Amino acid sequence: MSDLYKGYRGEALEVLKKFEALVWCNVKITSNEGVFRGTILPRSETADDLHIVIKLISGYNVGIAAKKITNIDVGERKEAHYKIPEKAFPYDPKKPNVKLLGTGGTIASRLDYRTGAVIPAFTPGELYGSVPELADICNLDTSKLYGVFSENMGPEQWIGTAKAIGEEIEKGIHGIVIGHGTDTMHHTAAALSFMVQDSPVPIVMVGSQRSSDRPSSDAALNLMHSVKTAAESDIAEVMVCMFGPTSDEYGLLHMGTRVRKMHSSYRSTFRTIGDVPIATVSREKITLMRKGYKKRRYDRNVTINTAFEEKVSIVYYYPNMKPDIIDSLIDNDYRGIVIAGTGLGHVNKPLYPALKRAKEKGIAVYMTVQTLWGYVQMYVYDTGRDMMELGVVPSANMLPEVAYIKLCWALGQTDNLDEVKRIMLTPIANEITEREPSNGYLILQGGLPEVEEFISKYRK
Amino acid sequence: MYDFLFKPFEEMTSEDYQKVGFKSGLEVHQQLLTDKKLFCRCPAGKYMHQYEAEILRHMRPTLSELGEYDGTALMEFKTKKNIIYQIHRDTVCTYEMDDTPPFEINDEALDISLLIGMLYRCAMIDEIHIARKQYLDGSIPTGFQRTTIFAVDGQIPYKDRIIDIVQVSLEEDSCREVSDIGHKRVYNTDRLGMPLIETVTAPQMKTPVEVMEVGEILSAMVRSTGMVRTGPGAGREDVNVSVEGGTRIEIKGVPSLNRIPRLTYNEAMRQWNLLRLREELHRRGINKDTFEAKTVNITKQIRKTSYTPINNAIQENKSVYCVTLRGFKDLLRWQTQTDTFFAREISDRVRVIACLTTLPNIIHSDSMGENIAASEWQIIKKHVGAKEDDTVVIVWGDIGDLETASKEIIIRAKESTIGVPSETRQALKDGTNGFERILPGADRMYPDTDLPPKRISEERIINLKQYIPEYFWEREKWYNELGLPEDIIRPLSISKYAMLFKKAVKEFKIDPVLAGVALIQYPKRLKRKHLDINKLSEENLSEVFKAHSEGLISREGILMYMGEIARTGSWDKENISPVSKTKLADSIKEAEYEVSILKVRNHEMEKRIVLSEAMKKLRGKIDGVKVYSKIFGNKKD
């Protein structure tokens, strides 16, 4: 019954009921303003209860104030059902096999103009219909692990994805692509970097910054880049593959532990922090930017370690932070805290007693920097030394989110804080590097003549 | 049925247009006069001649556009355009680049729109919904235009009847095309995102001239609000034309109204002649089922040609294809528009869809002798197996483009057996039109999920009602009664000063002709002197008129003080006082003294110099006539 008036409440619902006008009915609505002809659409649940939405014949939607409506002539009712046409993904025995694991977000989709709904395309057949170029690269198979938004990804999904990757590797897959929402892609990339070790094949995370229902979407090109990387590259790392520039030119392959989303909406939002990306990837070729990555192997060996402790928090320090923030974590039985400190890794003095309590309670406290670039260096100032006395462990140049994930993973494996420290400070997947190359920190400052000259020469 | 033949443009009568069932409607686009763009806070109306950076994008058809995925669509992918956007930081932010979601709709633009909707006597929408209208040509970097309907069902009077306004929408303007060569199309982004309203009329115009006249009324109406932009590109029209049995064809981007009659005439003729072509094809036994065509690679056979375009192509390692159209002999020379033939329909498609943009891009055997030698035609025809009543079309270029081109030639030829294909067409300078793109599917609107619906409150509507201008035709009626000169009636009736004129005449009792000329002609004169006439605010001008009505300044003083305002933004109204008889006498005395030093022999001349010197002191404050009579006696009174 409620579906017949889907989303309508209050005044609007009363009017629809009065004239027995159901959603998807063709109607002629007479209001004090005039006459409107169209199809009644469902109402968004977050919208008010004062208007009835119809789709005019021209395709535009308009809302009509319920209280102004004097009559509704109800015509035929035609509910919208939509299905994506499938076409079998071609199989070529000479091409590598790639598996696409879906966690949520839409990589490809079809628009239903009638409802305005975006219907995701995910099966190989649906994807072939949407991005046929994929068939030139590989034989594609897909499997939908989850259907959650990026922000709802968590330990359950990370563990499940890691296990699924392990199974695919055992079956002899040539490369794995993971479709993911972009907001927390770097958290998942870090989790997989620790949970899946010594993978013989590329594991490539991909998403889109502009939804796939729009002609300007980056989704199709990102998908092609990631599938090409999975199928053809010799880089057996957990990577994030997203746009290099905002132009439709090439993607960057970022190390899963050194990457971060740096803009809320730009296409080229992912950046490698404190290092350079592994390679660029275009539709034509993969071009290496650095050495020192794990090479593809032709065995099926991989270590899957999905240990995870959920009672870990990340604390973003700000001036005037009160110790009760730390205290509340201690009182709630947290086992690990990652602090994103100022500068080289500092917090204010009033926090010291709380840090001391944490140490006494055996809580693992690790320091990272909220500057994102650079190393924690707690010897330079006395405050740093004081904090180390209080058990705070500097985490070198681990990104705060990466340190958080790693601490969850380490505490999941052992209660022994020394062992935790050993795990934390032993680099596994470049989350800590020995050196920051001189071009590892480059944020061009717009407005400077030389930067403007650079921008005018190379497409953004 | 199609035995009527189009006459030259000048000779066509209303009855002729009735015979072919001419029907036309307008989509009038008008930029609104706002400070900022519609969905971001970039400045509106700022045009850049240089750019600082470029962005490259591709427009990918979404699955819905492709429908059942087939080879042709795949081909279009492969020949797709590289779209380059030129950007400048002063006019474009990350929103226009499609790297930031939209900000809330510009309320100033929405207010102007609502006002215009009410001016058209439309039914106003209570809650507006932003929609995305898909465009694959790249003219908007998102691939869609954000647009919203705010009014429907209006009416405007025309002659002795009513023309219906179907709907009015508020939308963001698109990019300006810089070039489109081969696989590269370049756009300038300065105009992108500026607020624009689109007024759609019902197809109720019955002759080309009617279309223009209704366009003039619509344009005058929106301008009469004083809240829309004027100047090149600020108003543009799309014209929909059809004839009996034809198809509704949209001619896009008509830059000025007086181009409409010839454009619509040519489009009507094109449709009519395509229908006649269909009749001829059917007479020859060619319909969509019996239609036959084939493509052969003739690069080898034609490699020694002396025809330069093909010769050059072969030098560059390109290929040459030949498409045989069975039974089409002479039909590529079938007239479609003025001095335009069916071959152009084919050439246009090859240019746009296969990206073979260097013209000529095809040659055909119906115009033998104009390009390659007759003997070469014979060799080719023999090689491809063409018969006497066939036509062969030759096209050259990169092999990938040729695959698309040859298919497109066949598609377009086959369409001629069916009728007038659905297309949008481009207005050309000579009054004809050319293919722009295949009409996108009827369904290309979907809700913009980035922005919530917006309620238009009753208070907002009531508050705006006070700003609805009088209808310009009512103003004009009054101006005629006042005896205003013909050439200032229309400009004044749609001028932003129309209200001020009324005040000047009714309240200040100023001579209507003087007020009209001052408001319409004087700004033009000042503009010619490169003064900033935007500084001529209604408030300032109102003060000048008031001063004149109080005798503080003379008739010529009006122009003088308007000049001062245009120069400095204000005028020295504090130091204006009536010129008393004593002051007049003093000024003349002073002048006489100054002149006496000069020792002018001729007495008459001396008086003239005195007059000119006195006027220097009194100009703008008192009429010259009064000074003259004081110096020369009452001769001139």
Side-chain angles (χ1 to χ4, degrees):
Chain A
M1 180 67 191
S2 68
D3 262 12
L4 298 176
Y5 297 106
K6 199 173 167 67
Y8 286 97
R9 298 172 283 127
E11 215 170 292
L13 180 62
E14 289 306 307
V15 172
L16 287 177
K17 280 185 171 166
K18 181 175 160 197
F19 295 104
E20 293 175 9
L22 312 177
V23 296
W24 305 123
C25 279
N26 287 326
V27 289
K28 180 181 145 192
I29 296 182
T30 310
S31 90
N32 301 340
E33 289 291 336
V35 175
F36 304 87
R37 285 184 182 80
T39 307
I40 298 184
L41 294 182
R43 181 89 169 148
S44 156
E45 277 157 25
T46 53
D48 68 33
D49 61 354
L50 305 173
H51 298 87
I52 290 167
V53 188
I54 64 168
K55 182 177 267 306
L56 302 174
I57 296 155
S58 59
Y60 282 90
N61 295 354
V62 298
I64 301 164
K67 67 173 180 195
K68 290 188 188 169
I69 293 175
T70 53
N71 188 41
I72 304 179
D73 287 334
V74 182
E76 195 192 355
R77 180 167 193 265
K78 214 169 139 191
E79 195 160 350
H81 289 292
Y82 234 82
K83 207 178 159 286
I84 296 184
E86 286 209 33
K87 201 164 183 181
F89 198 98
Y91 180 77
D92 178 351
K94 282 181 239 133
K95 291 206 163 77
N97 301 321
V98 170
K99 181 83 176 201
L100 170 65
L101 301 173
T103 64
T106 55
I107 304 166
S109 56
R110 184 190 175 107
L111 260 173
D112 176 3
Y113 288 106
R114 199 171 130 83
T115 59
V118 177
I119 305 159
F122 186 72
T123 69
E126 290 167 348
L127 280 177
Y128 179 58
S130 159
V131 192
E133 295 96 324
L134 296 175
D136 299 337
I137 306 171
C138 68
N139 299 308
L140 186 70
D141 189 19
T142 63
S143 169
K144 185 180 171 185
L145 300 180
Y146 307 101
V148 298
F149 288 123
S150 187
E151 62 271 24
N152 296 328
M153 287 293 290
E156 184 197 330
Q157 289 78 16
W158 294 329
I159 292 166
T161 306
K163 286 180 175 166
I165 291 170
E167 286 162 20
E168 291 302 328
I169 291 170
E170 277 174 30
K171 284 188 230 157
I173 200 80
H174 295 117
I176 293 168
V177 173
I178 297 159
H180 200 286
T182 56
D183 284 4
T184 65
M185 193 186 277
H186 54 289
H187 296 84
T188 302
L192 295 179
S193 299
F194 302 127
M195 291 180 177
V196 180
Q197 287 178 35
D198 296 320
S199 164
V201 299
I203 298 167
V204 192
M205 300 198 62
V206 73
S208 69
Q209 280 291 88
R210 292 286 90 77
S211 59
S212 51
D213 51 80
R214 46 208 278 174
S216 60
S217 172
D218 55 338
L221 199 51
N222 274 330
L223 189 58
M224 284 181 247
H225 289 158
S226 61
V227 166
K228 186 179 176 75
T229 305
E232 297 173 12
S233 85
D234 72 336
I235 311 163
E237 297 273 5
V238 172
M239 291 171 272
V240 164
C241 171
M242 292 288 285
F243 266 35
T246 180
S247 288
D248 287 358
E249 296 206 79
Y250 58 88
L252 290 173
L253 297 176
H254 303 278
M255 191 70 80
T257 55
R258 297 237 59 90
V259 63
R260 201 170 186 284
K261 187 175 187 180
M262 297 302 286
H263 192 280
S264 62
S265 54
Y266 240 78
R267 285 168 170 74
S268 49
T269 177
F270 284 92
R271 285 293 177 257
T272 288
I273 309 286
D275 207 335
V276 296
I278 305 172
T280 61
V281 53
S282 69
R283 290 181 61 181
E284 290 76 34
K285 61 178 191 292
I286 295 165
T287 311
L288 290 172
M289 294 168 75
R290 49 169 277 190
K291 293 173 187 155
Y293 55 85
K294 292 183 191 117
K295 293 267 166 47
R296 182 191 282 273
R297 306 190 309 272
Y298 294 91
D299 56 56
R300 298 181 180 190
N301 304 327
V302 63
T303 308
I304 305 294
N305 177 354
T306 60
F308 202 87
E309 167 57 60
E310 292 197 29
K311 295 291 266 183
V312 176
S313 180
I314 188 164
V315 173
Y316 194 96
Y317 172 75
Y318 48 88
N320 198 34
M321 181 181 268
K322 301 284 190 268
D324 53 0
I325 299 289
I326 305 288
D327 283 333
S328 75
L329 292 173
I330 298 168
D331 296 342
N332 282 295
D333 301 323
Y334 273 73
R335 293 186 55 213
I337 299 172
V338 171
I339 300 173
T342 56
L344 292 162
H346 300 129
V347 296
N348 63 4
K349 272 225 163 80
L351 250 51
Y352 289 7
L355 292 174
K356 192 166 176 236
R357 268 191 77 206
K359 184 186 181 189
E360 285 160 9
K361 214 180 158 190
I363 297 170
V365 182
Y366 283 78
M367 179 62 74
T368 61
V369 290
Q370 52 185 249
T371 57
L372 302 178
W373 272 270
Y375 288 78
V376 180
Q377 224 304 8
M378 298 175 73
Y379 292 104
V380 177
Y381 298 103
D382 285 344
T383 48
R385 294 173 195 220
D386 292 345
M387 272 191 290
M388 287 198 290
E389 289 289 307
L390 297 169
V392 178
V393 183
S395 324
N397 64 344
M398 233 189 302
L399 292 167
E401 297 86 353
V402 175
Y404 160 76
I405 296 279
K406 194 173 185 190
L407 189 53
C408 294
W409 183 70
L411 285 167
Q413 298 176 58
T414 176
D415 291 336
N416 181 334
L417 288 188
D418 290 336
E419 177 61 6
V420 168
K421 188 170 174 182
R422 190 194 62 77
I423 295 171
M424 282 299 283
L425 300 184
T426 309
I428 292 168
N430 283 67
E431 72 278 19
I432 291 175
T433 58
E434 283 185 326
R435 54 192 290 272
E436 180 181 40
S438 56
N439 57 355
Y441 170 66
L442 271 183
I443 301 179
L444 299 181
Q445 184 65 67
L448 291 174
E450 62 272 28
V451 172
E452 295 301 323
E453 192 191 331
F454 169 79
I455 287 170
S456 69
K457 273 192 196 148
Y458 298 94
R459 286 194 188 121
K460 283 174 86 104
Chain B
M1 150 135 204
Y2 299 106
D3 47 2
F4 173 78
L5 285 178
F6 264 68
K7 304 168 190 167
F9 175 71
E10 294 78 10
E11 294 168 28
M12 288 288 285
T13 63
S14 304
E15 289 71 35
D16 293 335
Y17 286 111
Q18 205 179 338
K19 269 183 212 154
V20 300
F22 179 95
K23 253 195 339 194
S24 178
L26 276 167
E27 294 172 18
V28 179
H29 299 97
Q30 176 65 57
Q31 289 178 343
L32 305 180
L33 188 57
T34 57
D35 290 338
K36 293 178 180 167
K37 291 185 178 179
L38 189 56
F39 290 111
C40 68
R41 306 302 172 239
C42 285
K46 191 165 180 176
Y47 290 97
M48 307 305 295
H49 300 293
Q50 77 266 40
Y51 61 96
E52 295 175 328
E54 284 185 347
I55 296 174
L56 167 78
R57 295 270 163 79
H58 299 116
M59 288 299 145
R60 194 181 175 85
T62 54
L63 211 47
S64 317
E65 260 74 40
L66 297 174
E68 290 297 321
Y69 207 79
D70 61 23
T72 320
L74 187 65
M75 190 55 66
E76 276 182 43
F77 268 163
K78 288 187 174 159
T79 60
K80 73 189 163 188
K81 293 267 184 187
N82 285 321
I83 298 176
I84 307 287
Y85 298 102
Q86 300 176 337
I87 58 176
H88 191 288
R89 80 189 106 154
D90 288 351
T91 53
V92 167
C93 68
T94 51
Y95 168 71
E96 292 99 320
M97 290 162 60
D98 191 32
D99 269 321
T100 287
F103 299 86
E104 274 190 61
I105 196 165
N106 180 337
D107 269 316
E108 191 188 4
L110 186 54
D111 277 343
I112 300 172
S113 305
L114 294 170
L115 195 70
I116 292 171
M118 287 189 268
L119 187 64
Y120 292 149
R121 300 190 180 171
C122 281
M124 304 304 288
I125 301 297
D126 302 309
E127 184 189 67
I128 59 168
H129 290 239
I130 316 292
R132 298 173 175 180
K133 190 189 219 173
Q134 299 243 13
Y135 281 94
L136 291 174
D137 60 359
S139 58
I140 304 185
T142 45
F144 54 75
Q145 180 184 42
R146 289 194 163 88
T147 167
T148 183
I149 292 255
F150 59 87
V152 296
D153 253 349
Q155 286 125 29
I156 57 160
Y158 172 62
K159 292 182 181 167
D160 54 353
R161 61 185 209 261
I162 291 288
I163 299 289
D164 291 313
I165 303 293
V166 177
Q167 65 184 37
V168 201
S169 52
L170 171 59
E171 53 198 36
E172 46 188 0
D173 208 344
S174 55
C175 294
R176 294 193 286 150
E177 188 181 301
V178 176
S179 64
D180 184 5
I181 299 162
H183 289 269
K184 182 175 165 185
R185 188 179 292 148
V186 180
Y187 286 109
N188 180 315
T189 51
D190 51 13
R191 191 182 78 180
L192 175 66
M194 278 170 66
L196 181 85
I197 58 160
E198 184 195 62
T199 306
V200 180
T201 76
Q204 291 165 337
M205 285 77 93
K206 297 166 192 161
T207 68
V209 170
E210 284 195 1
V211 188
M212 177 182 71
E213 288 176 350
V214 169
E216 280 168 352
I217 294 174
L218 286 169
S219 164
M221 282 180 87
V222 291
R223 287 181 68 169
S224 73
T225 60
M227 299 178 199
V228 300
R229 286 187 187 276
T230 54
R236 307 188 294 277
E237 282 79 28
D238 294 347
V239 190
N240 296 313
V241 180
S242 67
V243 299
E244 188 68 42
T247 306
R248 187 188 74 98
I249 292 291
E250 189 174 330
I251 308 171
K252 303 281 271 182
V254 183
S256 81
L257 290 162
N258 56 27
R259 302 249 302 260
I260 287 178
R262 226 169 250 278
L263 282 166
T264 48
Y265 156 79
N266 268 311
E267 177 52 25
M269 183 193 331
R270 190 184 72 93
Q271 293 192 28
W272 192 253
N273 285 343
L274 287 175
L275 295 170
R276 287 180 52 246
L277 173 63
R278 178 181 68 185
E279 214 171 38
E280 170 64 17
L281 284 163
H282 289 182
R283 200 187 58 74
R284 294 186 186 187
I286 303 170
N287 58 42
K288 71 175 179 4
D289 299 318
T290 60
F291 173 88
E292 262 185 82
K294 71 167 184 179
T295 305
V296 177
N297 184 332
I298 56 157
T299 316
K300 229 186 229 170
Q301 286 68 34
I302 206 168
R303 68 182 186 280
K304 286 184 181 154
T305 185
S306 57
Y307 180 57
T308 316
I310 294 182
N311 193 297
N312 288 348
I314 288 171
Q315 301 293 327
E316 291 164 26
N317 251 336
K318 291 176 178 169
S319 304
V320 185
Y321 276 24
C322 176
V323 181
T324 307
L325 303 171
R326 289 264 179 263
F328 265 65
K329 187 176 165 58
D330 288 337
L331 296 184
L332 265 68
R333 298 203 53 164
W334 187 272
Q335 189 182 3
T336 50
Q337 309 178 60
T338 309
D339 299 329
T340 304
F341 303 90
F342 184 62
R344 207 279 309 260
E345 301 266 322
I346 289 175
S347 164
D348 276 358
R349 288 281 182 92
V350 169
R351 174 175 56 84
V352 176
I353 294 178
C355 302
L356 298 173
T357 51
T358 308
L359 297 180
N361 57 3
I362 59 165
I363 54 173
H364 56 87
S365 57
D366 290 346
S367 61
M368 257 204 287
E370 294 167 20
N371 29 63
I372 63 174
S375 57
E376 281 175 313
W377 279 116
Q378 290 314 319
I379 293 168
I380 290 155
K381 280 186 147 180
K382 197 174 163 201
H383 179 74
V384 303
K387 300 196 184 71
E388 181 49 34
D389 55 358
D390 295 342
T391 285
V392 298
V393 184
I394 295 174
V395 57
W396 54 94
D398 283 329
I399 201 119
D401 294 341
L402 286 184
E403 289 293 328
T404 314
S406 52
K407 279 183 186 156
E408 205 50 44
I409 291 168
I410 293 170
I411 287 170
R412 181 63 193 93
K414 189 174 179 181
E415 282 169 347
S416 66
T417 67
I418 301 164
V420 182
S422 287
E423 299 167 335
T424 60
R425 302 191 59 91
Q426 188 181 18
L428 301 174
K429 282 203 178 99
D430 65 358
T432 64
N433 61 65
F435 172 76
E436 187 174 77
R437 59 172 189 261
I438 303 280
L439 199 67
D443 292 334
R444 55 177 181 136
M445 308 278 304
Y446 64 110
D448 185 11
T449 42
D450 293 332
L451 290 161
K454 186 179 175 89
R455 185 179 176 190
I456 308 296
S457 71
E458 278 174 75
E459 298 73 51
R460 185 170 189 163
I461 294 286
I462 290 165
N463 181 46
L464 284 169
K465 272 188 177 150
Q466 60 180 310
Y467 300 105
I468 301 177
E470 305 154 293
Y471 288 113
F472 74 90
W473 53 86
E474 284 165 8
R475 286 175 178 166
E476 288 179 359
K477 206 173 139 205
W478 182 49
Y479 297 165
N480 272 311
E481 287 162 12
L482 291 174
L484 292 193
E486 199 61 40
D487 63 332
I488 64 168
I489 288 185
R490 173 56 59 89
L492 183 60
S493 74
I494 60 172
S495 156
K496 60 179 173 180
Y497 299 131
M499 296 295 283
L500 177 60
F501 173 80
K502 194 172 174 183
K503 189 175 174 187
V505 173
K506 294 212 158 159
E507 199 176 307
F508 303 144
K509 310 283 181 212
I510 289 178
D511 171 14
V513 177
L514 173 64
V517 169
L519 290 171
I520 298 302
Q521 307 290 18
Y522 288 2
K524 286 187 198 160
R525 281 192 221 169
L526 296 172
K527 196 177 175 183
R528 259 179 255 131
K529 291 183 184 167
H530 305 291
L531 296 177
D532 182 9
I533 58 170
N534 290 323
K535 289 188 177 138
L536 298 173
S537 70
E538 281 178 64
E539 198 189 345
N540 276 329
L541 293 182
S542 178
E543 284 169 4
V544 172
F545 282 142
K546 188 159 178 273
H548 175 64
S549 73
E550 288 167 357
L552 296 177
I553 60 175
S554 66
R555 289 174 77 100
E556 58 177 358
I558 293 179
L559 178 60
M560 204 176 95
Y561 287 111
M562 279 173 75
E564 192 178 323
I565 292 166
R567 244 188 317 273
T568 66
S570 66
W571 64 301
D572 193 9
K573 55 186 178 246
E574 307 307 327
N575 288 323
I576 307 260
S577 57
V579 178
S580 63
K581 281 190 177 166
T582 337
K583 173 126 196 251
L584 176 61
D586 286 355
S587 301
I588 291 173
K589 258 187 199 147
E590 263 176 56
E592 279 170 349
Y593 172 73
E594 282 161 22
V595 174
S596 69
I597 302 168
L598 297 175
K599 296 194 172 142
V600 182
R601 290 207 187 109
N602 182 327
H603 182 64
E604 187 69 12
M605 183 57 80
E606 189 178 299
K607 278 196 169 181
R608 284 189 182 282
I609 297 171
V610 169
L611 174 65
S612 114
E613 286 301 311
M615 282 311 289
K616 275 185 193 163
K617 301 177 206 299
L618 298 165
R619 191 173 302 279
K621 294 172 186 158
I622 184 167
D623 269 344
V625 179
K626 287 185 184 159
V627 186
Y628 183 94
S629 45
K630 184 85 186 167
I631 295 170
F632 288 89
N634 284 339
K635 277 185 212 168
K636 254 199 168 174
D637 274 76

